[in-house]
Amino acid sequence: MGATTIGMMDAAYFVGRNEILSWVNNTLELSLSKVEEAASGAVYCQLMDVVHPGMVSMHKVSFDAKSEYEMIQNYKVLQDVFNKLKIGRHIEVSKLVKGRPLDNLEFLQWMKRYCDQINDNQVNSAYNAAERREACKGGKETNRRALGMGYSSQSSNKPASSASVKASSGAARRVTTENMNPNMNGNGRGGGSAGTNVNAAKHMKDLGKEQVSAVNEDYVKQITELKLSVESLEKERDFYFTKLRDIEILCQAPELSHIPVVKAVQRILYAAEDEPSVIAEAKAMMEESDRDMLSPGSQNMDDNNDFLGRGSREH
């Protein structure tokens, strides 16, 4: 089954947003933190450029698009590519430009499935995403932001580390001085209070370690509980997905696909997320089928009349 015709219950639509964002960022050398950041359409255009080099008019793509009008221009470029490649996937531009997370996540999930099929799950190592983006409006600024974010994430721990080193060094010097001068008080004169101060400092240090250890244990416990909860939810999701997938396969069987109830089930399976009337439509399909079966002139009615006619002649 091609990516352009995959059903809503396909495994492609169960890929999480973190995995999707990681795939987009690695493929396009970007630093997206939310799926709705792809709403302008520029990311979708460049993903198509990865798998079909030269097919996308990158100079017409704007990574700086802010208004819906500017975003729609990007989607026109994308639609032109879809038309050239005869891709039957419908682009719901009016929803995507609103920046709603679920709509953009679903389209990115489909994009990943399509790109994986074209590239046979391989990364196009020859593609230079930053260089291709240079031709786009706002592409250079996007590259600078992506580069800055990458550098920032790599160096974010350096100030804390330096501060820790300085603090540790200062503490080490104070402890060394105290150990070398155990009888010196704060004014540099010998006295009995020095030992008390050292013991108090040691006690506070030990108390701090205990508190940190208790907090760490609490965090570990919470993380463990969350992991178990996620695993349980994933198992439940996979169970119901398998059942629905089996139903979908059964409904696609040629000998069953014409049956009204099967058509009604398919209507429910392939309904979009924002179609609240799908159950009513499925019931209407069933009722219409029943009327057709019982209406005068139908094959079933003719068969019934023939049967009744034969019975009366026999009597």
Side-chain angles (χ1 to χ4, degrees):
M1 185 182 294
T4 58
T5 57
I6 59 175
M8 287 302 298
M9 296 310 301
D10 191 273
Y13 293 109
F14 288 86
V15 180
R17 67 184 63 203
N18 289 334
E19 183 178 345
I20 286 291
L21 286 171
S22 177
W23 170 72
V24 171
N25 289 333
N26 290 335
T27 302
L28 301 184
E29 300 174 24
L30 290 173
S31 54
L32 305 186
S33 57
K34 301 177 181 179
V35 292
E36 53 265 40
E37 291 180 56
S40 71
V43 167
Y44 302 133
C45 288
Q46 190 165 16
L47 286 172
M48 293 301 295
D49 187 61
V50 174
V51 292
H52 299 289
M55 184 66 69
V56 182
S57 301
M58 293 297 286
H59 64 281
K60 295 182 180 180
V61 177
S62 174
F63 275 85
D64 199 31
K66 297 292 188 297
S67 66
E68 286 192 12
Y69 171 77
E70 293 173 318
M71 295 178 184
I72 288 173
Q73 302 307 308
N74 286 338
Y75 285 102
K76 286 183 178 179
V77 175
L78 184 64
Q79 186 64 66
D80 183 55
V81 175
F82 276 31
N83 292 341
K84 290 178 181 176
L85 296 171
K86 294 181 172 56
I87 298 175
R89 166 78 186 199
H90 174 62
I91 306 173
E92 297 183 287
V93 179
S94 60
K95 293 183 179 180
L96 294 172
V97 296
K98 300 296 183 185
R100 296 193 300 187
L102 288 178
D103 292 324
N104 283 275
L105 174 61
E106 179 186 322
F107 197 62
L108 280 172
Q109 289 168 331
W110 178 87
M111 273 281 185
K112 185 178 188 305
R113 174 65 178 270
Y114 178 81
C115 293
D116 287 345
Q117 284 189 345
I118 298 299
N119 283 341
D120 195 22
N121 294 317
Q122 301 297 318
V123 178
N124 185 358
S125 58
Y127 185 80
N128 190 325
E131 182 179 327
R132 288 289 292 166
R133 224 168 11 247
E134 291 281 336
C136 305
K137 181 182 178 182
K140 293 181 179 179
E141 180 60 28
T142 300
N143 287 342
R144 281 195 292 269
R145 284 199 302 268
L147 183 62
M149 288 293 291
Y151 175 78
S152 174
S153 63
Q154 292 176 1
S155 59
S156 59
N157 294 326
K158 290 184 179 179
S161 300
S162 300
S164 299
V165 170
K166 290 180 181 178
S168 300
S169 300
R173 285 196 296 271
R174 286 195 298 273
V175 171
T176 303
T177 303
E178 291 170 354
N179 289 339
M180 291 177 64
N181 301 280
N183 295 321
M184 294 295 291
N185 60 17
N187 296 323
R189 295 187 298 271
S193 62
T196 303
N197 291 339
V198 171
N199 289 335
K202 186 175 184 298
H203 174 70
M204 292 297 293
K205 184 177 180 181
D206 292 339
L207 183 61
K209 287 182 177 179
E210 292 176 1
Q211 291 175 341
V212 170
S213 177
V215 170
N216 287 342
E217 288 179 3
D218 188 44
Y219 280 140
V220 169
K221 183 179 178 181
Q222 292 181 25
I223 291 171
T224 303
E225 291 175 353
L226 287 172
K227 285 183 176 179
L228 292 173
S229 177
V230 169
E231 288 178 3
S232 176
L233 290 172
E234 286 180 345
K235 287 180 180 178
E236 185 176 1
R237 178 202 66 187
D238 293 342
F239 172 80
Y240 287 111
F241 168 73
T242 302
K243 296 295 182 185
L244 288 170
R245 180 58 179 153
D246 291 341
I247 293 172
E248 183 184 34
I249 293 172
L250 183 64
C251 290
Q252 291 171 348
E255 63 272 17
L256 300 176
S257 60
H258 65 283
I259 300 175
V261 68
V262 173
K263 292 181 178 180
V265 170
Q266 286 180 319
R267 179 69 187 91
I268 295 172
L269 281 176
Y270 299 135
E273 189 177 6
D274 56 352
E275 291 189 49
S277 62
V278 62
I279 299 296
E281 291 180 18
K283 289 182 178 178
M285 292 170 64
M286 294 293 298
E287 292 172 358
E288 183 179 356
S289 173
D290 291 341
R291 286 195 297 271
D292 291 342
M293 291 178 66
L294 298 175
S295 62
S298 68
Q299 182 63 43
N300 289 319
M301 181 62 77
D302 292 341
D303 292 343
N304 292 336
N305 289 336
D306 291 343
F307 176 77
L308 293 173
R310 286 196 303 270
S312 62
R313 287 194 298 271
E314 290 174 359
H315 289 291

